[in-house]
């Protein structure tokens, strides 16, 4: 389901813009960027590309949101060296010299008076030849105008404070830049004039008399960690009051890492940690962009996102900018995905208590005009989604029903549409055998529905109503999400065709794959429209952040041309990195449509198409996908390997997936690992290990009725199969019957087909073939209704085995059934299903009185050889032993004693392995 409306643009804040030394440095570089071309040394720019690179760099500085604090002068100088090539030395000298000259308020007045001259406008001065005039409405022009306006509004005390901060800002970088400056002065045969400019600054005497002693004390304390620190170097700093020695190599080492790599000291230690006592946040636009990026990262990585590091950063932001109520929302997300119910509830209440949820939500204004109270229903939606996440379906429905009532009272159509979609998600994901008493009290379409309608029918009505409202309100994300939900509904719920009507019309219920494909196509078509509607923050901020983070990469790239012997020709195309202008939430929806395609083709029985759609997802949507979606696709590919290539390749892929994804409780990777272990244990005859795995699966499922339905179904199915392998037929049948009742109660018709087929296999193995026939036929009926072609082929094979077990008179009937299912089995079935079909076909030939082994023995032997090879890959000892037994029987009739003994030896080997499973030295199990 699409999330409720998210903030699109940052709201205005009280401390909108503060003039800092870093912004003054950017203004100085802007002045350099707008200088006219010179004909005498020093030459600022030797080429147009140098000039363009500096412009791109300045634009990125004002737009990037890779951190909340402004970069230090040392970092700024290092980046200038990286982007400017031979011009870097001149730019560094020019910037440091101009900063050191701003030693009094009068110098700042003169500087900002000069800066007005590079702005275009009606009152602009006459410009010189080749001078750049900034458009006042451009990004750089707006930045400069805000700096000038903020300077004009400064009080004298604030002006003196800015002068002092500039001095501290310069002296902080002077110690690290000393060797480089000395080298430059030696090469140019100059004296120490540049260094003396720093030493002759008299800022402190002008403002405060005793600042010199303070700066010296701070310089002595500079060994401690600066504010801007990367996570892997500060893990021991999570405990308060512990000092961490800074690693000087960590400034850029992890710059290109994920956003959750940033860790900041606790808020109580700000003054002690920062050596110069000043922490400067970036502009509000950049901080808001940083928070939006962190929200995306939390939703993408969910439980694998570092909880402590994120909490530290959010605590710092809350201390430095209390008016940023969005911090509470990020703390809510962080607690939600780390399964901390009480912290999530507390932060959600704080967010809506402090901000009323009014931070830029993209919703349609209510007709009553009461926007202040129109945010209560948004809080209810998030509260309902929180209950949904923690597995409280009844509480979620109650909260969402209240949101429906309040949205109607406030005439908030947008929130009403999102609430209906959330209710559909609850009814779809969680098992509600009856919605009476929860729905039908507040929303008119629900009250008009017949009370005899099932939950599935109510879900269909609500989905249609939600889609209709979303289309009328032009909520494109919600429209696409509803199409995706309808595709899932059409996939799992059988309906009567609308084209058949009248008294003689067929009452047979079926699913319609064409409807599923249609809804998925509509979902993709609507999402593609977002390529032209990306927000400015998303586009500019993401490009700028990635461009700055990729500076070290671009300098080390051997594909870029060299200029003057330096690897620093960073062309403009590096700015336009491989970032999509489509919002990440939209890309996630589009990726979800490919996951749904893969699931649909799995159910319909087309293994190649299911695999192709999974590979498309991993190739095209890996960067934008959430970790849970990416893990589910990897799980599908691992299961495909196990079915078609055996467990060895599957376990190797599983090992890689475990290293990539965090295997927490109920994670998809953990579930697929347990499934593979159980299947392999059953094939090898290790029933003790198989039962242990079943117990682990059962423990993972919630005890709440209707929650974790799929997990409970999987655990019960595997428990019944384990009992069947142990020849405990009555217990296996009891578990299967109980599972069938649960699936029927919650309208899980697709799972019912599998359970009925399992009951048929139980009766077949127990020797009651006649009792197994109705279950096999019922499973076939379900498969036909839901277009489960591969499961239908498997049910047909089971039906043929049942007929064959009734006697040799039914061999031809069984053979006819097998030949009808062989195209599907051989084209899309796995190794086990193909081997079963080949063994059963061989048994049909051998049981047929009209078949002579002496005339056409190779037909049977070829089938048995292929089956034995496939079963040995799977280590399926029981079926492999049966295949070699039949081979020995055929060779004995043919009089080929040597081959008979070889087949008999293989039969004995597999029977011994089945009766005495040895897993202590198993290399695959030792991998984990």
């Amino acid at each position: 389901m699409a999330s409720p409306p998210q903030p699109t643009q940052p709201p205005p804040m009280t401390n909108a813009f503060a003039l800092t030394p870093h912004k003054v440095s950017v203004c100085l570089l802007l002045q350099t960027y707008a200088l006219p071309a010179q004909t005498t040394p020093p030459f600022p720019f030797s080429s147009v590309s140098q000039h363009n690179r500096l412009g791109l760099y300045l634009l990125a500085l004002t737009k990037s949101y890779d951190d909340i604090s402004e970069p230090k002068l040392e970092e700024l100088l290092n980046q200038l060296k990286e982007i400017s090539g031979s011009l870097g030395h001149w730019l560094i000298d020019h910037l440091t010299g101009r900063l050191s000259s701003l030693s009094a308020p009068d110098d700042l007045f003169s500087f900002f008076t000069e800066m007005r001259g590079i702005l275009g406008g009606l009152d602009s001065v006459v410009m010189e030849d080749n001078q750049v005039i900034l458009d006042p409405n451009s990004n750089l022009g707006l930045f400069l105008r805000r700096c000038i306006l903020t300077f004009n509004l400064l009080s004298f005390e604030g002006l003196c404070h800015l002068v002092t901060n500039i001095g501290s800002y310069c002296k902080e970088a002077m110690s690290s830049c000393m060797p480089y400056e000395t080298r430059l002065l030696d090469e140019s045969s100059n004296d120490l004039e540049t260094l003396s400019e720093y030493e002759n600054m008299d800022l402190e005497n002008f403002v405060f008399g005793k600042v010199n002693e303070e700066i010296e004390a701070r310089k002595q304390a500079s060994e401690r960690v600066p504010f801007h620190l990367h996570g892997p170097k500060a893990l021991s700093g999570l405990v308060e009051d512990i000092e961490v020695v800074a690693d000087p190599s960590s400034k850029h080492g992890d710059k290109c890492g994920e956003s959750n790599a940033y860790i900041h000291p606790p808020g109580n230690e700000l003054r002690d940690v920062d050596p110069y006592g000043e922490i400067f946040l970036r502009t509000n636009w950049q901080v808001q962009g940083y928070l939006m990026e962190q929200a995306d990262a939390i939703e993408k990585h969910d439980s694998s996102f570092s909880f402590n590091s994120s909490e530290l950063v959010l605590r710092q932001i809350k201390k430095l900018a209390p008016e940023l109520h969005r911090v509470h929302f990020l703390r809510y997300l962080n607690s939600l995905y780390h399964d901390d119910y009480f912290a999530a509830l507390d932060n959600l209440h704080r967010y809506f208590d402090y901000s009323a949820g009014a931070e830029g939500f993209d919703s349609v204004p209510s007709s009553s005009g009461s926007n202040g109270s129109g945010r209560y229903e948004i809080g209810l939606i998030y509260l309902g989604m929180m209950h949904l996440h923690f597995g409280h379906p009844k509480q979620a429905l109650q909260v969402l029903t209240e949101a429906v009532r309040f949205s109607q009272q406030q005439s908030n159509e947008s929130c009403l549409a999102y609430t209906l979609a959330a209710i559909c998600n609850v009814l779809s994901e969680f098992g509600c055998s009856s919605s009476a008493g929860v729905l039908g009290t507040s929303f008119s379409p629900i009250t008009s529905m017949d009370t005899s309608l099932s939950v599935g029918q109510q879900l269909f009505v609500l989905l249609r109503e939600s889609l209709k409202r979303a289309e009328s309100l032009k909520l494109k994300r919600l429209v696409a999400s509803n199409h995706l939900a309808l595709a899932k509904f059409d996939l799992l719920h059988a309906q009567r065709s609308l084209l058949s009507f009248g008294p003689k019309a067929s009452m047979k219920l079926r699913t319609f794959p064409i409807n599923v494909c249609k809804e998925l196509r509509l979902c993709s078509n609507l999402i593609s429209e977002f390529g032209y509607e990306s927000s400015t923050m998303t586009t500019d901020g993401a490009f700028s952040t990635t461009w700055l983070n990729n500076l070290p990469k671009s300098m080390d790239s051997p594909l870029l041309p060299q200029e003057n012997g330096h690897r620093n020709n960073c062309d403009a195309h590096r700015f336009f990195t491989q970032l999509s202008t489509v919002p990440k939430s939209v890309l996630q929806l589009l990726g979800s449509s490919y996951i749904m395609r893969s699931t649909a083709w799995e159910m319909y029985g087309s293994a190649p198409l299911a695999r192709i759609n999974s590979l498309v997802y991993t190739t095209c949507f890996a960067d934008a996908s959430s970790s849970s979606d990416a893990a589910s696709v990897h799980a599908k590919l691992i299961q495909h390997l196990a079915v078609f290539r055996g467990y060895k390749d599957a376990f190797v892929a599983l090992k890689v997936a475990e290293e990539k994804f965090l295997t927490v409780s109920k994670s998809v990777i953990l579930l697929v690992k347990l499934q593979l272990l159980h299947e392999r244990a059953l094939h090898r005859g290790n029933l003790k290990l198989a039962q242990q795995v079943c117990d682990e699966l059962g423990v993972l499922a919630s005890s709440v009725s209707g929650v974790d339905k799929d997990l409970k179904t999987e655990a019960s199915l595997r428990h019944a199969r384990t009992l069947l392998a142990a020849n405990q037929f009555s217990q296996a049948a009891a578990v299967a019957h109980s599972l069938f009742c649960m699936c029927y109660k919650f309208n899980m018709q697709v799972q019912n087909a599998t359970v009925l087929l399992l009951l048929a296999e139980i009766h077949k193995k127990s020797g009651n073939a006649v009792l197994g026939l109705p279950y096999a036929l019922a499973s076939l009926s379900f498969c036909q209704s839901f277009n489960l072609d591969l499961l239908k082929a498997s049910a047909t094979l089971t039906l043929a085995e049942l007929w064959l077990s009734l006697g040799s008179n039914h061999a031809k009937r069984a053979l006819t059934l097998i030949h009808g299912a062989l195209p599907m089995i051989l084209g899309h079935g796995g190794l086990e299903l193909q081997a079963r079909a080949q063994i059963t076909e061989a048994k049909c030939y051998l049981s047929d009185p009209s078949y002579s082994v002496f005339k056409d023995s190779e037909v049977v032997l070829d089938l048995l050889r292929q089956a034995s090879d496939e079963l040995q890959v799977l280590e399926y000892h029981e079926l492999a032993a049966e295949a070699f037994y039949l081979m020995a029987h055929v060779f004995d009739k043919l009089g080929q004693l040597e081959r008979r003994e070889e087949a008999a030896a293989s039969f004995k080997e597999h029977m011994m392995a089945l009766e005495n499973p040895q897993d202590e030295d198993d290399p695959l199990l030792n991998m984990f």
Side-chain angles (χ1 to χ4, degrees):
M1 191 203 76
S3 299
Q6 290 288 334
T8 55
Q9 294 293 339
M13 294 164 48
T14 54
N15 57 343
F17 196 84
L19 195 57
T20 61
H22 171 72
K23 294 185 179 67
V24 174
S25 300
V26 177
C27 290
L28 284 168
L29 292 175
L30 275 174
Q31 188 183 41
T32 304
Y33 175 72
L35 282 175
Q38 300 183 26
T39 58
T40 58
F43 301 97
F45 303 106
S46 60
S47 64
V48 176
S49 62
Q50 278 188 346
H51 188 262
N52 291 340
R53 283 199 299 271
L54 180 60
L56 289 174
Y57 174 65
L58 293 175
L59 182 63
L61 276 181
T62 61
K63 290 292 183 181
S64 65
Y65 44 68
D66 59 326
D67 200 359
I68 60 172
S69 59
E70 293 181 340
K72 303 296 183 181
L73 180 59
E74 177 188 358
E75 184 177 352
L76 188 66
L77 298 180
N78 289 334
Q79 290 177 348
L80 282 175
K81 284 192 294 185
E82 290 175 349
I83 67 145
S84 302
S86 58
L87 183 65
H89 298 163
W90 185 89
L91 281 176
I92 292 173
D93 284 343
H94 179 74
L95 177 60
T96 54
R98 288 301 307 274
L99 279 174
S100 63
S101 67
L102 301 177
S103 58
D106 289 341
D107 299 327
L108 285 175
F109 275 111
S110 301
F111 169 68
F112 279 101
T113 302
E114 295 174 4
M115 294 304 297
R116 294 189 185 95
I118 66 174
L119 279 175
L122 297 177
D123 56 344
S124 59
V125 298
V126 178
M127 66 177 182
E128 304 179 34
D129 293 338
N130 298 323
Q131 183 180 0
V132 175
I133 295 295
L134 294 180
D135 183 356
N137 296 320
S138 65
N139 287 325
L140 295 179
L142 287 173
F143 175 82
L144 183 55
R145 288 168 61 191
R146 296 181 74 185
C147 290
I148 295 174
L149 178 61
T150 305
F151 177 79
N152 292 337
L153 296 176
L154 280 178
S155 63
F156 182 75
E157 182 182 359
L159 184 59
C160 295
H161 191 62
L162 176 60
V163 173
T164 304
N165 288 336
I166 292 175
S168 302
Y169 179 72
C170 293
K171 287 196 172 185
E172 179 186 359
M174 187 176 66
S175 58
S176 60
C177 293
M178 186 72 71
Y180 163 71
E181 292 175 355
T182 305
R183 178 179 56 83
L184 284 184
L185 294 174
D186 291 341
E187 290 178 356
S188 57
S189 301
N190 292 329
D191 54 13
L192 299 179
E193 293 179 0
T194 304
L195 294 178
S196 65
E197 289 179 355
Y198 293 110
E199 299 299 331
N200 292 333
M201 286 192 298
D202 202 24
L203 305 176
E204 296 82 359
N205 293 331
F206 181 80
V207 184
F208 300 106
K210 296 184 178 181
V211 179
N212 280 326
E213 292 81 5
E214 183 183 354
I215 292 179
E216 292 300 326
R218 288 171 179 171
K219 286 175 64 178
Q220 294 177 2
S222 61
E223 295 297 322
R224 302 183 66 180
V225 178
F227 180 74
H228 182 77
L229 187 64
H230 291 170
K233 308 297 187 294
L235 293 179
S236 58
L238 296 178
V239 183
E240 295 190 8
D241 301 326
I242 294 181
E243 297 182 6
V244 185
V245 178
D247 185 358
S249 64
S250 67
K251 192 66 177 177
H252 296 284
D254 298 322
K255 191 72 175 177
C256 298
E258 295 181 353
S259 58
N260 60 343
Y262 295 103
I263 298 181
H264 297 270
N268 298 333
E269 302 298 320
L270 270 180
R271 285 288 174 178
D272 295 336
V273 173
D274 184 71
Y276 292 95
E278 289 291 341
I279 300 297
F280 299 114
L281 287 180
R282 298 195 178 190
T283 63
N284 299 332
W285 190 93
Q286 290 174 301
V287 174
Q288 288 281 3
Y290 175 83
L291 293 178
M292 292 177 65
E293 185 183 58
Q294 292 299 296
D296 289 340
I298 291 173
E299 291 182 339
K300 177 179 179 179
H301 300 288
D302 49 64
S303 59
S304 62
F305 192 84
S306 176
F307 180 83
N308 291 328
S309 62
S310 178
E311 280 294 307
L312 289 172
V313 175
L314 295 176
R315 202 184 311 164
Q316 292 287 8
I317 299 175
K318 189 60 185 173
K319 181 179 179 65
L320 295 173
E323 68 281 354
L324 273 175
H325 305 306
R326 195 190 299 268
V327 172
H328 293 299
F329 184 75
L330 263 71
R331 297 184 73 176
Y332 153 74
L333 288 178
N334 204 16
S335 303
L336 180 74
Y337 287 108
H338 285 87
D339 295 330
D340 190 341
Y341 174 80
F342 295 103
L345 184 63
D346 178 65
N347 284 295
L348 185 63
H349 285 167
R350 286 175 182 268
Y351 173 66
F352 283 95
D353 286 344
Y354 290 144
S355 68
E359 290 199 354
F361 282 101
D362 181 21
S363 60
V364 178
S366 61
S367 60
S368 62
S370 55
N371 292 330
S373 61
R375 304 300 172 180
Y376 173 66
E377 55 268 33
I378 297 179
L380 290 175
I381 294 177
Y382 275 106
L383 183 59
M385 293 176 64
M386 189 193 74
H387 284 301
L388 186 69
H389 177 85
F390 286 107
H392 308 151
K394 291 184 178 180
Q395 292 91 326
L397 282 175
Q398 290 172 356
V399 171
L400 293 173
T401 305
E402 174 66 14
V404 169
R405 184 187 64 81
F406 205 84
S407 298
Q408 284 186 315
Q409 289 181 357
Q410 301 298 324
S411 299
N412 195 331
E413 297 295 329
S414 177
C415 284
L416 185 58
Y418 277 104
T419 308
L420 289 178
I423 292 175
C424 293
N425 197 22
V426 175
L427 296 178
S428 175
E429 295 297 329
F430 292 92
C432 298
S433 58
S434 175
S435 59
V438 179
L439 302 178
T441 59
S442 59
F443 183 48
S444 55
I446 300 179
T447 56
S448 64
M449 287 192 296
D450 189 353
T451 56
S452 63
L453 292 180
S454 66
V455 174
Q457 292 168 327
Q458 292 183 14
L459 174 60
F460 180 74
V461 173
L462 289 175
L463 281 172
R464 287 296 178 187
E465 180 66 25
S466 178
L467 177 61
K468 179 181 176 181
R469 288 179 177 272
E471 288 176 339
S472 64
L473 296 172
K474 301 186 184 304
L475 301 174
K476 295 181 180 179
R477 285 181 178 88
L478 189 55
V479 170
S481 178
N482 282 329
H483 280 299
L484 196 60
L486 281 170
K488 182 179 180 180
F489 182 88
D490 290 334
L491 182 66
L492 300 177
H493 294 80
Q495 306 172 55
R496 187 171 59 179
S497 175
L498 296 179
L499 298 179
S500 60
F501 54 90
K504 295 184 179 181
S506 174
M507 297 299 293
K508 189 173 184 179
L509 299 178
R510 294 184 61 89
T511 59
F512 299 95
I514 190 65
N515 291 343
V516 177
C517 296
K518 175 184 175 182
E519 298 294 344
L520 291 173
R521 186 176 65 253
L522 289 174
C523 174
S524 302
N525 290 342
L526 285 171
I527 293 175
S528 64
E529 299 177 10
F530 278 92
Y532 307 98
E533 297 182 4
S534 180
S535 67
T536 304
M537 173 175 288
T538 302
T539 305
D540 293 351
F543 281 168
S544 300
T545 302
T546 306
W547 189 75
L548 280 180
N549 290 341
N550 284 338
L551 279 179
K553 293 182 181 179
S554 62
M555 294 305 103
D556 295 334
S557 175
L559 301 178
L560 296 178
Q562 308 288 326
E563 181 179 331
N564 298 330
H566 299 282
R567 293 180 301 170
N568 45 17
N569 185 17
C570 184
D571 293 330
H573 75 273
R574 295 295 303 177
F575 180 70
F576 300 99
T577 54
Q578 300 298 322
L579 288 176
S580 173
T581 58
V582 181
K584 290 183 179 179
S585 60
V586 177
L587 289 176
Q588 287 183 5
L589 271 176
L590 184 57
S592 298
S593 70
Y594 278 91
I595 297 179
M596 183 60 66
R597 284 184 172 92
S598 178
T599 303
W601 286 119
E602 268 184 30
M603 291 181 58
Y604 294 149
S606 180
L609 287 176
R611 178 173 173 269
I612 286 173
N613 281 280
S614 296
L615 291 175
V616 168
Y617 179 89
T618 57
T619 304
C620 302
F621 303 101
D623 294 335
S625 65
S626 64
S627 60
S628 58
D629 286 346
S632 66
V633 173
H634 279 75
K636 289 179 181 292
L637 294 173
I638 292 171
Q639 289 172 330
H640 184 275
L641 284 175
V643 170
F644 290 92
R645 297 180 60 178
Y647 296 108
K648 183 177 181 180
D649 292 343
F651 276 110
V652 171
L654 178 62
K655 185 68 174 177
V656 175
E658 282 191 323
E659 295 173 355
K660 183 175 182 179
F661 301 102
L662 186 65
T663 54
V664 296
S665 176
K666 294 186 183 180
S667 69
V668 182
I669 299 301
L670 177 60
L671 294 180
V672 75
K673 175 182 178 180
L674 294 176
Q675 289 170 357
L676 293 182
L677 289 174
H678 182 263
E679 290 288 344
R680 190 166 182 267
L682 287 184
H683 288 169
R684 292 168 61 89
N686 192 344
L687 301 183
K688 182 179 180 180
L689 177 59
Q691 186 57 48
Q692 290 176 354
V693 174
C694 287
D695 294 339
E696 289 189 35
L697 280 172
V699 168
L700 292 178
S702 172
S703 59
V704 180
S705 176
V707 179
D708 294 334
K709 298 179 298 181
D710 293 336
L711 186 54
K712 292 176 181 177
T713 303
E714 183 74 15
S716 297
L717 276 173
R718 294 190 176 277
H719 185 207
R721 286 174 180 166
T722 305
L723 293 173
L724 177 61
N727 295 327
Q728 299 179 12
F729 304 118
S730 58
Q731 294 92 327
V735 173
H737 277 292
S738 175
L739 178 58
F740 179 84
C741 293
M742 188 195 79
C743 293
Y744 181 81
K745 176 181 178 181
F746 296 114
N747 198 28
M748 302 169 65
Q749 303 300 331
V750 175
Q751 289 80 357
N752 272 339
T754 305
V755 177
L756 289 170
L757 185 58
L758 175 61
L759 284 167
E761 291 176 356
I762 292 173
H763 288 292
K764 178 194 72 175
K765 195 169 182 180
S766 65
N768 297 320
V770 175
L771 294 179
L773 286 174
Y775 291 108
L777 292 173
S779 178
L780 272 175
S781 178
F782 272 100
C783 292
Q784 290 175 352
S785 297
F786 289 90
N787 295 283
L788 309 177
D789 293 343
L790 187 59
L791 189 60
K792 177 185 174 182
S794 179
T796 304
L797 177 60
T798 301
L799 185 62
E801 292 172 338
L802 288 169
W803 281 115
L804 185 61
S805 62
L806 291 177
S808 59
N809 295 333
H810 302 282
K812 289 186 177 180
R813 176 182 292 180
L815 189 61
T816 302
L817 289 172
I818 292 175
H819 286 169
L822 273 182
M824 190 68 194
I825 293 175
L826 298 179
H828 300 278
L831 296 178
E832 179 183 349
L833 186 59
Q834 292 181 18
R836 275 184 58 202
Q838 290 159 353
I839 290 176
T840 306
E841 185 180 4
K843 290 168 68 175
C844 289
Y845 283 122
L846 295 175
S847 300
D848 188 358
S850 62
Y851 174 78
S852 175
V853 174
F854 301 99
K855 293 182 179 179
D856 199 3
S857 61
E858 287 301 320
V859 174
V860 174
L861 290 175
D862 286 342
L863 291 172
L864 295 175
R865 288 192 191 100
Q866 293 177 20
S868 62
D869 292 341
E870 293 165 350
L871 293 170
Q872 288 184 91
V873 172
L874 291 175
E875 301 176 89
Y876 198 164
H877 296 312
E878 183 179 4
L879 274 184
E882 184 177 2
F884 283 113
Y885 174 81
L886 293 175
M887 290 174 63
H889 181 70
V890 173
F891 286 132
D892 182 67
K893 285 188 175 182
L894 295 175
Q896 300 179 14
L897 302 183
E898 184 176 353
R899 290 189 176 184
R900 183 196 66 183
E901 294 302 321
E902 292 177 359
S906 298
F907 165 77
K908 181 180 179 181
E909 179 183 351
H910 283 285
M911 289 301 299
M912 292 180 63
L914 182 65
E915 295 172 358
N916 302 292
Q918 301 293 331
D919 289 329
E920 290 78 6
D921 300 327
D922 189 355
L924 294 184
L925 292 180
N926 293 333
M927 293 172 59
F928 302 94

